[in-house]
Amino acid sequence: MRAFNRWMIRRRILPRLPERYALWSFSPLTYGLEEKAAMVVYHSVDLLHTIDGIPREALLQAERRLIGRADALVASSTGVADHLRTQRANPMVWENVADVDLFQSMRAPVAARQRRAIFVGNLTPGKVDFAILEAIVAKGVRLALAGPFSIDGTRRDPALARLLASPLVTYLGTLNQQDMAAEIGKSWAGIIPYHLNQYTTGVFPMKVYEYLAAGLPVVATNLPSLSDRAIPGVTLASPERFADAVAHACAGDYAPPPGDFSSNSWEARLEQIRTLLDAGRSRPARGVL
């Protein structure tokens, strides 16, 4: 399959590319696109090799080749950066950012907010600790869930089925960005109930700055990407204490997180991208395929 993909790229993609182009890849499997690029950026956002069913050795070999060719390396979390350093790489750490203006604009007034915790994301048992969600509901806390399930090939977890049957749980479906911002903006607290496992060692949740920009205090498990420094508005809790922390947040007065999140916006990230690409413009073109 990889040989076929490489052939298709040579036949269909490469003839359409300009003489000089930058390859910005989130996957180490690039099928030779990097060989002709004037600049290559490897932007690693996950520890993909730790996921069940992934061809681990093939992926790691491709990653080592791409690291050797890359002009710049970017990691989305400290965990991903630590992994890349084991490959003798020196990446920049760019955490996931948010559409800050959109989420700030959807902040509902206190009177219009619902005393509920909300989780938005892929409802997969490999990442989300459904036992934590059940413990939150057992505290009598209302819970809103949004996002797809079973898209990674896993079957729906029995705990998720129990949650969706609870009168305290509202399933919002898979939302577009506008509707997601509206639902988050009228909630009371945002939660990130992730497992602590090899895969989540490299995760910096995209929801962190979306929740914060929408005015929600955040309760998260003690992920390495969050525990390496304090983020105003984010409370870290063990799986055993998570439900208590969420119940406390939802029972108290509404307390919007402090801080200015403009540095965690897409506008700020695009400036970083422009600066990085501008630095590569003067490099000579590489050899042809």
Side-chain angles (χ1 to χ4, degrees), residues 32-262:
L33 278 169
E34 74 282 3
E35 295 174 23
K36 193 180 178 182
M39 182 180 184
V40 175
V41 180
Y42 176 37
H43 191 156
S44 181
V45 297
D46 268 315
L47 298 178
L48 295 175
H49 62 282
T50 67
I51 300 174
D52 290 342
I54 290 290
R56 174 186 172 90
E57 290 307 316
L59 190 144
L60 289 175
Q61 288 176 11
E63 184 174 67
R64 284 190 287 270
R65 286 194 296 269
L66 187 58
I67 288 172
R69 168 61 182 84
D71 299 289
L73 296 167
V74 181
S76 65
S77 70
T78 53
V80 171
D82 288 342
H83 162 68
L84 293 179
R85 291 187 187 106
T86 67
Q87 310 299 313
R88 299 181 180 179
N90 186 28
M92 300 174 284
V93 177
W94 289 2
E95 296 170 342
N96 290 322
V97 292
D99 188 345
V100 170
D101 289 343
L102 171 63
F103 284 87
Q104 286 183 333
S105 71
M106 301 300 284
R107 287 190 180 195
V110 177
R113 287 183 177 265
Q114 300 179 31
R115 283 187 180 270
R116 69 181 188 186
I118 188 169
F119 171 75
V120 179
N122 185 8
L123 293 164
T124 175
K127 181 184 286 187
V128 178
D129 191 337
F130 293 125
I132 289 178
L133 297 180
E134 289 191 292
I136 292 171
V137 172
K139 295 283 183 183
V141 177
R142 293 173 60 200
L143 183 62
L145 301 175
F149 43 79
S150 302
I151 64 171
D152 57 357
T154 57
R155 306 177 77 177
R156 185 188 295 192
D157 192 279
L160 177 58
R162 291 194 297 270
L163 283 163
L164 297 179
S166 169
L168 290 176
V169 176
T170 301
Y171 178 60
L172 302 170
T174 301
L175 305 174
N176 61 37
Q177 189 83 338
Q178 190 81 17
D179 291 341
M180 178 177 68
E183 292 291 347
I184 292 175
K186 64 183 181 184
S187 299
W188 210 263
I191 60 172
I192 303 171
Y194 284 178
H195 286 293
L196 300 176
N197 56 31
Q198 189 179 14
Y199 172 71
T200 60
T201 296
V203 168
F204 184 92
M206 294 189 69
K207 292 295 161 284
V208 171
Y209 291 114
E210 292 177 344
Y211 288 155
L212 292 173
L216 271 62
V218 178
V219 180
T221 44
N222 199 22
L223 297 170
S225 61
L226 301 178
S227 62
D228 58 353
R229 77 276 192 263
I231 301 177
V234 176
T235 298
L236 300 180
S238 67
E240 296 75 20
R241 301 297 299 170
F242 199 102
D244 289 332
V246 175
H248 178 75
C250 289
D253 293 336
Y254 170 66
D260 173 19
F261 306 107
S262 59

